[in-house]
Amino acid sequence: MTVEITLFKGEVQDKKAARWFMARPNPAGELDAVKLETTLLEMWSKEGAFQQSIETRRNGAPFIFLEGPPTANGKPGIHHVVARAYKDLVCRWKTMEGFKVERKGGWDTHGLPVEIEVQKRMDLMSNEAIEAYGMDNFNQACRESVWTYESAWREMTERMAYWVDLDNPYVTLENSYVESCWWAIKQMFDKGLLYRGHKVLPYCPQTGTSYSSHEVALGYKEVEEPSVYVKFKLSDEEASILAWTTTPWTLPGNVGLAVGPEVTYVRVRVTEVAENWSGEGGASVGEIVILAKDLMKEVLRHNVEIIDEFPGRDLVGRSYEPLFPEAVPRGESTTAWTVLEADWVTTTDGTGVVHTAVMYGEDDYNLGMAAGLPAYHTVGMDGAFLEGTHPLLDGRYVKECDQTIIELLSSPKGSNGSGPESGLLYREKAYLHDYPHCWRTDHPLLYYAMDSWFVRMTAVKERLLEFNDGVEWAPDWVGEGRFGEWLRNVKDWAISRERYWGTPIPVWRTEDGQMKCVGSIEELQSEVAKAVAAGIANPECPDDVDLHRPIVDGFTLVSDDGKPMHREPFVMDCWFDSGCAPFAQWHHPFDGGETFDSSFPVDYICEGVDQTRGWFYTLLAVSTTVFDKPAYKRCLSLGLILDAEGKKMSKSRGNIVDPWDHFNREGADATRWYMVTAGAPWNPLKFDSNGVRETYAKMFLTLWNVYKFHADYAALDNFDPDASTSDVASRPSLDRWILSRLATTAQNYHADFKGWNFHKACRDLEDFIVNDVSNWYVRRSRRRLWDDSESSDKLACQHTLHEILTTVCRLVAPVSPFMVDVIHRNLTGETVHQAAWPLGVPGTLDGATADAWDEQAAAATATLPPQDVELEGVMELVRELAEVGRRIRIDAGRRQRLPCSQGWIVAGLEMSEFHDILAEELNVESIAVEDDLDRFQQIALAPNFRALAPKARSEVNAVAGEIKHSQDPVGLLESIRAGTCVIMGISIEESDVEIKRIERPGFAASTVQVGQGDDAVQISLVLDMNDTPELLSKGLARDVTRRIQAKRKDMDLVIEASIDLEVWMRNAPEMFEDDRAWIVTETRAAGAVFHDAKANPPSDAEHFEVDGAEIWFTVK
RNA sequence: GCGCGGGUGGCUUAGUCGGUUAGAGCACCCGGCUGAUAACCGGGAGGUCGCAGGUUCAAGUCCUGCCUCGCGCACCA
């Protein structure tokens, strides 16, 4: 298929001249959406259309958008297109409203994802390997790696027409960006919100890094693991305390047992061997164990007798035998391997006794510190047991030792050689639970005590909540619910990472704990100078010193009392970087001061709902701690993108849809429109490829054909919308109707936009284009443009089409910006992306801000045609009657092309101006209005439950039945009106019933209802089914014509071509001269012969039958 | 376990303050219409509105419990 799409012709020098030239539409041509879009992209690029769209709104009120930075080291998928479509949509919409909407691009370039990628590629899977390779080399590789897919991102972004400035993006690895982050950290440091602590954190030994809660939340997985019940043998009694753990690897580190002081425990003796024992472990008859009373049934598998009961506090202080005597040195501790009390011990699971390994659990650690337990690691940073733990465990990855530990415990006398003969293991049990895993490597995380830096978010909790209240969330329940809940449970933010590629923490520290936080390059330089002056050697610190490891590690500063200070060897959580975007993108406060001041907090951000704990949070966390302000005013939180089966799209599942599959088939317009109409933005979107195809076929093909219809005739007639006028008030009612529908649709569209209901807006607009414009207005108007001569009616139609199309283009433009631009350009000579929003341009008003403007003044800038609600109602009725007419014919078995002499409209609204349309639609000779309702209609009464129910109560159904099935509704109505109607003791008033009129039986008729409630009107359509020779002749002529036209189309004749026609008829009604002449005109027959019934048609003639008549014809 | 959001013909979905016949689109079948486009119109088949109770004259809609899917939180021994 060859395609020609005419856009601008030649260079446009003089805008006015060009406009005059261009305002005359060119023919539309056939549609090739992909070619249309790619051609247009080149033109946009040449014109600088994006920049221009901002430039012309330079004086508008600013609407500040902030781009959430993606990482370019992964390939973009369709789910990225969705997020970008909504970002783009709102920015384009606000731009058309006259706001200045700048869109700076951004790239997230630091952090674990980047490191992992590089580690995999270069096979540097441990920290040792990285350090052996050289941190500088490694970081250089990271620096390059982040751009791996930049071109793929750029191409996707451009192809989908996401207008964002990728030529001047902010990049989190750049010095200026990092310097702003440093400044922010120093603000926190100075406010005392930054602290160094020792905490048990989820730790991933593979990546060598610990995580903050929002990262851990990314990686919960359900796993089944062995859990064990272990007997801790008391030192001074032949009895054991039972404790339970799901992490057997922490048992060598056991140094205490915690019991609830108020919990009731029992001492029991095994009396009988357990039946059906499975797995390892056990107990001998006579053995004595201690556990919480509530959990006996859960835990014990032997028959036992209770020896005594006592509260937990009676156990406190008792000492027991260590499971792995070599693993942890006692040191100074007097409390090691004794029973401790803790009020958080419950009896919901386990044994009511909590095994405590100081370094591997938050509660354990706190308890251990309070009770003076020895704080020794049994596990190294690499996740393997340290030497000296146990000969069979040393050096092995802890998660692989479960079975070994179980075996050691279950051997006679147990792992410590001093347990009961039955061993130290009582039972093992598979345990199913959600356990945190590394969101990058999928390995289970270990809770692990380590040094870390924290932001004291708990100190600003109230402010966080307060600021969140001020944010306009879409949907609102994300803000109130999910995000609010998160904030109410806010924890201090663990922001340090034991990694290499990231923003280094700018804190230097002496061995005795004095600290200094550096907030800028300049400050670093002066501190370095100070240190050099104090005699500490340092490398050069130039203005462009690279603010990364290992460069910054090389500087040694000096404390006030002259001691050397070394940088804390951490980098920041990369989420901190993106949380700094509102100011770091401008290099605030070192640069661009005004830009920042006028653009903070930002007006609009939009990301997937998965960013709730990510970017949505870190933005607010940083802005609150640094500026004591919120970071954004509006946040659109998008639902997850699922595949057609409803599964989450993810790289690991391999179900990611490649956006190019659709860009190259249906185009970006259809892809974007589909995504927006498929459901509410915040609902999960099942991405269905077939849906994109449907959108293309329905929405865009239809729009194009409406446009084509207009443009082709407009070009033929040299139509110039500016050179002629057509007063709307004097246009035909069909035109006034569609223009009113346009105004109504546009207003609803806009209202839905304001409420973030883009899906509703677009569904309704699509419905308007397909049903109102294409299937009714254009279909009804085709003949108006076929006329070669000029007429006011034709002109009206052309102006109407022009107005519909230009307005529709502007409404569609924010969502799907391509085709509508081609159409708008051809119709007006101007790009739609410079056009004004049809509902007004508040951004251009004096004193307007992104948040508020003079509504009245804004409304005055709208450019919509007049609305006529009544007219819309009448037309709705007309269309309904047209449909009803077809049904009447089908029921009566009368074919559509056989005219009826008369149709009656019974009662109802005045609609004489549409009688012509109706007559044509219904194929009747004339329409009459019948005032005598009773000629074709009868009354039916229906109960009005709302009114009736309160009176009738439980009798309502019986009363309603009486009304509904009344044999004499007329009489019943009379008695109701007379106030004498009583059914089952209930007095019935007129408001208790609905009076309906329905068609009388025996006519070819049907009744429709329009309006609701009191405004409801029943209108009947009646068709006269009697035949006359004239009608039969006319009907036959129409059938013949239709067959000939089909043949013409079949023969690929151009519309103007004339034909030679011969027709043979047998068993047919007489065809009158007028109707023959009509056939000749309609089919453009230059010569026509109508043979009489005796002539034999040639064998190659076309043949068909209609109502028993046989027809042959030839077309040449 | 707690919270949020879903569950409506084969698929995608609409459904207002509870009102008696649950509405569209796609796909399917039949018919019609067409110099109108992968279009349009009429009809058909296809629904235990997740399940079970409850409130009510009346429940897709309100209440309770449960099942199920997704997401989030807490996960502790």
Side-chain angles (χ1 to χ4, degrees):
Chain A
M1 179 167 61
T2 58
V3 175
E4 265 184 57
I5 301 153
T6 312
L7 303 168
F8 277 121
K9 278 184 181 164
E11 291 293 306
V12 180
Q13 299 292 339
D14 179 278
K15 205 177 167 209
K16 205 174 164 193
R19 203 178 130 55
W20 178 84
F21 169 73
M22 284 311 308
R24 294 179 178 185
N26 290 300
E30 292 301 316
L31 177 62
D32 176 339
V34 175
K35 179 139 184 237
L36 177 150
E37 293 180 2
T38 50
T39 309
L40 187 56
L41 279 171
E42 278 173 38
M43 175 170 295
W44 282 348
S45 155
K46 249 184 256 163
E47 296 172 354
F50 169 41
Q51 284 312 319
Q52 270 186 29
S53 80
I54 299 172
E55 201 49 49
T56 50
R57 280 88 175 194
R58 181 58 54 199
N59 298 320
F63 178 89
I64 310 297
F65 165 71
L66 179 62
E67 160 83 336
T71 58
N73 75 332
K75 217 171 154 185
I78 198 80
H79 45 307
H80 298 111
V81 177
V82 176
R84 311 204 126 206
Y86 282 105
K87 292 178 184 183
D88 193 48
L89 188 167
V90 172
C91 289
R92 285 178 184 267
W93 165 42
K94 285 289 155 184
T95 298
M96 291 179 77
E97 281 194 332
F99 291 95
K100 182 180 72 178
V101 188
E102 291 186 278
R103 289 95 115 180
K104 193 177 181 68
W107 297 107
D108 194 8
T109 54
H110 276 153
L112 204 55
V114 184
E115 292 196 35
I116 302 280
E117 198 65 31
V118 172
Q119 283 184 278
K120 273 189 201 152
R121 203 177 61 227
M122 306 181 75
D123 194 26
L124 299 170
M125 287 319 287
S126 71
N127 293 358
E128 291 73 37
I130 291 171
E131 275 162 39
Y133 178 73
M135 204 195 298
D136 47 353
N137 293 331
F138 178 74
N139 275 358
Q140 187 53 39
C142 289
R143 189 187 285 271
E144 285 157 16
S145 158
V146 299
W147 303 112
T148 310
Y149 291 101
E150 196 239 357
S151 60
W153 274 86
R154 188 179 268 272
E155 282 161 23
M156 178 275 278
T157 302
E158 284 172 4
R159 180 63 185 84
M160 70 166 288
Y162 174 38
W163 275 359
V164 63
D165 185 357
L166 290 181
D167 296 327
N168 304 292
Y170 66 91
V171 181
T172 59
L173 64 75
E174 284 176 357
N175 249 14
S176 59
Y177 197 97
V178 172
E179 193 180 23
S180 287
C181 292
W182 275 24
W183 170 82
I185 297 164
K186 190 176 165 72
Q187 301 305 302
M188 296 176 178
F189 184 86
D190 289 350
K191 291 180 185 178
L193 293 172
L194 194 69
Y195 69 92
R196 187 180 195 268
H198 194 65
K199 273 199 182 179
V200 174
L201 293 171
Y203 171 79
C204 173
Q206 276 70 29
T207 60
T209 189
S210 58
Y211 292 118
S212 57
S213 44
H214 57 261
E215 278 181 309
V216 176
L218 298 170
Y220 274 93
K221 278 206 321 198
E222 191 169 73
V223 287
E224 193 175 71
E225 295 181 303
S227 71
V228 292
Y229 295 86
V230 181
K231 292 180 275 191
F232 288 87
K233 189 177 168 305
L234 290 166
S235 309
D236 54 357
E237 182 188 339
E238 277 301 320
S240 305
I241 296 179
L242 277 184
W244 181 64
T245 182
T246 56
T247 50
W249 63 268
T250 60
L251 286 171
N254 173 280
V255 283
L257 293 173
V259 296
E262 309 299 332
V263 175
T264 303
Y265 293 82
V266 287
R267 184 179 275 112
V268 301
R269 179 186 292 118
V270 175
T271 56
E272 216 176 311
V273 177
E275 293 167 20
N276 305 326
W277 190 273
S278 70
E280 313 234 18
S284 317
V285 172
E287 230 179 290
I288 295 170
V289 295
I290 296 166
L291 75 166
K293 188 183 179 191
D294 290 352
L295 290 158
M296 284 174 61
K297 282 207 182 75
E298 289 284 317
V299 175
L300 297 177
R301 285 292 170 271
H302 294 77
N303 285 335
V304 296
E305 56 179 349
I306 295 176
I307 303 172
D308 63 349
E309 290 186 26
F310 47 89
R313 73 171 66 83
D314 290 3
L315 286 169
V316 174
R318 306 283 300 273
S319 69
Y320 62 90
E321 307 283 340
L323 299 182
F324 294 83
E326 311 299 316
V328 179
R330 175 179 290 276
E332 301 297 306
S333 175
T334 55
T335 48
W337 301 292
T338 64
V339 179
L340 308 161
E341 65 173 89
D343 50 16
W344 41 261
V345 174
T346 65
T347 54
T348 49
D349 43 20
T351 63
V353 180
V354 177
H355 140 69
T356 300
V358 175
M359 307 305 273
Y360 311 110
E362 197 175 338
D363 285 335
D364 307 46
Y365 183 82
N366 295 336
L367 179 65
M369 289 298 111
L373 298 178
Y376 285 98
H377 272 297
T378 49
V379 178
M381 297 287 283
D382 55 357
F385 281 113
L386 294 172
E387 290 299 316
T389 304
H390 188 281
L392 293 177
L393 301 175
D394 292 355
R396 292 175 62 195
Y397 174 49
V398 297
K399 279 282 174 182
E400 282 162 5
C401 290
D402 288 346
Q403 196 50 41
T404 307
I405 291 169
I406 288 168
E407 282 163 17
L408 282 170
L409 292 172
S410 18
S411 62
K413 296 298 235 177
S415 55
N416 57 12
S418 60
E421 278 306 320
S422 60
L424 294 172
L425 185 76
Y426 178 66
R427 232 182 111 191
E428 67 166 318
K429 187 174 98 175
Y431 184 66
L432 189 68
H433 65 154
D434 282 339
Y435 193 83
H437 288 69
C438 175
W439 64 291
R440 297 308 309 182
T441 67
D442 252 10
H443 283 90
L445 300 178
L446 311 178
Y447 284 89
Y448 197 94
M450 58 204 322
D451 288 331
S452 202
W453 282 84
F454 297 87
V455 181
R456 211 181 300 276
M457 297 310 299
T458 46
V460 294
K461 179 173 157 184
E462 293 310 313
R463 296 297 271 167
L464 292 170
L465 289 167
E466 196 182 320
F467 293 148
N468 181 43
D469 273 349
V471 175
E472 181 186 339
W473 283 91
D476 46 18
W477 48 260
V478 168
E480 286 158 18
R482 187 170 293 192
F483 197 57
E485 187 190 331
W486 170 261
L487 295 179
R488 283 188 288 279
N489 294 322
V490 76
K491 304 235 161 68
D492 284 350
W493 178 5
I495 50 153
S496 60
R497 298 287 181 271
E498 304 73 24
R499 299 298 313 182
Y500 308 98
W501 180 238
T503 299
I505 285 194
V507 177
W508 274 257
R509 186 169 176 270
T510 61
E511 268 181 25
D512 61 3
Q514 301 178 61
M515 291 192 267
K516 192 172 272 182
C517 183
V518 173
S520 69
I521 291 174
E522 200 183 323
E523 201 178 331
L524 179 63
Q525 288 171 321
S526 87
E527 289 296 337
V528 167
K530 215 187 283 177
V532 170
I536 299 174
N538 260 305
E540 282 289 295
C541 184
D543 290 347
D544 62 348
V545 57
D546 177 29
L547 295 182
H548 281 102
R549 301 187 74 183
I551 309 293
V552 290
D553 298 339
F555 299 114
T556 308
L557 307 186
V558 66
S559 68
D560 293 343
D561 58 357
K563 291 180 184 146
M565 307 182 94
H566 297 283
R567 198 187 70 82
E568 286 285 282
F570 302 104
V571 297
M572 301 290 287
D573 177 1
C574 63
W575 291 101
F576 178 83
D577 289 357
S578 49
C580 291
F583 53 94
Q585 65 171 336
W586 307 116
H587 195 204
H588 177 85
F590 309 99
D591 241 329
E594 273 182 39
T595 311
F596 171 71
D597 292 341
S598 62
S599 66
F600 184 79
V602 304
D603 289 307
Y604 171 64
I605 61 171
C606 164
E607 304 290 334
V609 70
D610 51 321
Q611 292 297 331
T612 309
R613 267 70 188 198
W615 200 50
F616 295 163
Y617 172 61
T618 58
L619 276 175
L620 182 63
V622 172
S623 71
T624 304
T625 49
V626 175
F627 297 96
D628 193 29
K629 275 189 179 180
Y632 44 88
K633 296 180 190 167
R634 285 170 204 81
C635 181
L636 175 56
S637 157
L638 303 174
L640 279 175
I641 310 306
L642 313 172
D643 65 13
E645 261 90 64
K647 297 253 165 36
K648 188 172 167 176
M649 273 193 201
S650 67
K651 215 195 273 184
S652 55
R653 278 206 184 83
N655 58 354
I656 293 178
V657 174
D658 185 347
W660 293 89
D661 290 349
H662 294 290
F663 292 166
N664 289 331
R665 205 182 321 149
E666 297 94 356
D669 269 348
T671 308
R672 290 174 57 142
W673 191 265
Y674 164 72
M675 293 185 305
V676 173
T677 49
W682 43 82
N683 281 344
L685 167 64
K686 274 195 204 175
F687 193 92
D688 180 7
S689 291
N690 197 40
V692 182
R693 197 203 64 84
E694 261 175 47
T695 295
Y696 171 74
K698 194 147 199 151
M699 168 74 185
F700 289 96
L701 256 186
T702 305
L703 179 60
W704 184 259
N705 282 303
V706 170
Y707 159 66
K708 182 169 153 54
F709 172 69
H710 173 54
D712 287 355
Y713 284 102
L716 209 65
D717 290 336
N718 255 325
F719 170 69
D720 182 341
D722 295 328
S724 63
T725 54
S726 169
D727 183 24
V728 173
S730 54
R731 288 185 210 174
S733 47
L734 181 68
D735 294 58
R736 283 184 285 111
W737 165 76
I738 192 69
L739 289 172
S740 176
R741 285 287 305 131
L742 175 67
T744 304
T745 305
Q747 276 163 14
N748 293 338
Y749 189 77
H750 184 68
D752 281 331
F753 261 43
K754 284 199 285 191
W756 305 93
N757 293 309
F758 303 110
H759 58 306
K760 284 188 188 167
C762 293
R763 284 173 182 175
D764 288 352
L765 183 62
E766 180 173 331
D767 189 61
F768 168 75
I769 293 167
V770 172
N771 287 320
D772 292 342
V773 177
S774 177
N775 291 345
W776 192 251
Y777 181 77
V778 169
R779 187 165 70 84
R780 291 298 334 153
S781 294
R782 273 181 191 278
R783 280 181 178 270
R784 299 165 69 188
L785 298 192
W786 289 352
D787 194 355
D788 287 337
S789 60
E790 290 299 321
S791 71
S792 65
D793 181 59
K794 187 164 87 174
L795 202 58
C797 182
Q798 285 171 329
H799 276 284
T800 300
L801 280 168
H802 181 85
E803 286 151 17
I804 295 169
L805 281 166
T806 50
T807 303
V808 162
C809 284
R810 291 170 196 205
L811 294 173
V812 171
V815 185
S816 294
F818 290 97
M819 179 188 286
V820 293
D821 195 26
V822 171
I823 296 176
H824 197 271
R825 281 168 189 256
N826 194 23
L827 297 186
T828 69
E830 286 177 343
T831 169
V832 74
H833 304 298
Q834 293 288 0
W837 189 241
L839 289 111
V841 282
T844 63
L845 301 173
D846 282 344
T849 69
D851 302 319
W853 54 81
D854 181 341
E855 288 287 351
Q856 259 192 320
T861 58
T863 53
L864 290 177
Q867 238 177 322
D868 183 342
V869 181
E870 206 179 319
L871 181 62
E872 289 187 39
V874 175
M875 185 63 93
E876 198 187 325
L877 174 61
V878 171
R879 293 178 68 178
E880 222 162 317
L881 288 176
E883 282 175 20
V884 159
R886 297 180 202 236
R887 196 162 33 209
I888 296 172
R889 279 178 179 275
I890 287 165
D891 291 347
R894 189 186 188 88
R895 62 183 215 272
Q896 185 68 34
R897 285 184 214 90
L898 177 59
C900 296
S901 65
Q902 178 90 49
W904 291 273
I905 297 169
V906 185
L909 295 80
E910 157 59 29
M911 48 192 293
S912 54
E913 58 187 334
F914 296 112
H915 282 184
D916 288 351
I917 288 180
L918 256 184
E920 228 178 285
E921 286 288 324
L922 296 172
N923 194 16
V924 298
E925 297 286 285
S926 74
I927 297 273
V929 174
E930 178 57 58
D931 292 326
D932 176 11
L933 305 188
D934 294 337
R935 181 172 169 201
F936 296 117
Q937 286 186 341
Q938 63 186 28
I939 279 180
L941 295 181
N944 176 9
F945 282 89
R946 263 186 229 273
L948 213 49
K951 288 201 258 182
R953 303 282 181 108
S954 59
E955 308 289 347
V956 70
N957 280 326
V959 177
E962 292 285 321
I963 294 171
K964 214 188 305 184
H965 300 119
S966 162
Q967 295 300 307
D968 177 19
V970 178
L972 183 61
L973 181 59
E974 273 170 18
S975 74
I976 291 171
R977 285 185 170 150
T980 59
C981 176
V982 176
I983 300 174
M984 304 178 80
I986 313 276
S987 162
I988 308 295
E989 295 163 41
E990 201 171 333
S991 60
D992 296 331
V993 294
E994 281 178 52
I995 305 153
K996 291 190 171 176
R997 301 190 67 91
I998 58 174
E999 66 274 8
R1000 276 187 192 279
F1003 292 101
S1006 186
T1007 305
V1008 293
Q1009 176 179 321
V1010 291
Q1012 295 286 317
D1014 291 345
D1015 300 330
V1017 180
Q1018 281 77 35
I1019 297 184
S1020 301
L1021 178 69
V1022 186
L1023 296 184
D1024 183 350
M1025 290 294 158
N1026 291 308
D1027 288 328
T1028 64
E1030 287 75 20
L1031 292 176
L1032 292 171
S1033 168
K1034 255 190 190 160
L1036 185 61
R1038 280 197 62 175
D1039 275 298
V1040 171
T1041 302
R1042 133 100 175 106
R1043 295 285 176 159
I1044 297 167
Q1045 302 290 40
K1047 182 69 185 170
R1048 281 182 62 112
K1049 201 174 178 179
D1050 222 33
M1051 292 163 74
D1052 255 349
L1053 294 181
V1054 293
I1055 292 174
E1056 295 81 18
S1058 55
I1059 55 167
D1060 281 320
L1061 176 68
E1062 287 187 69
V1063 180
W1064 295 262
M1065 292 184 276
R1066 215 171 269 169
N1067 206 14
E1070 186 185 353
M1071 190 187 281
F1072 299 116
E1073 189 50 44
D1074 281 358
D1075 295 322
R1076 290 186 183 184
W1078 184 76
I1079 293 175
V1080 168
T1081 322
E1082 283 293 303
T1083 61
R1084 291 188 183 247
V1089 181
F1090 290 84
H1091 297 277
D1092 62 29
K1094 284 164 212 141
N1096 280 326
S1099 57
D1100 63 342
E1102 299 286 325
H1103 171 247
F1104 68 96
E1105 279 182 48
V1106 55
D1107 279 351
E1110 287 198 87
I1111 320 289
W1112 293 261
F1113 68 91
T1114 57
V1115 171
K1116 282 177 180 125

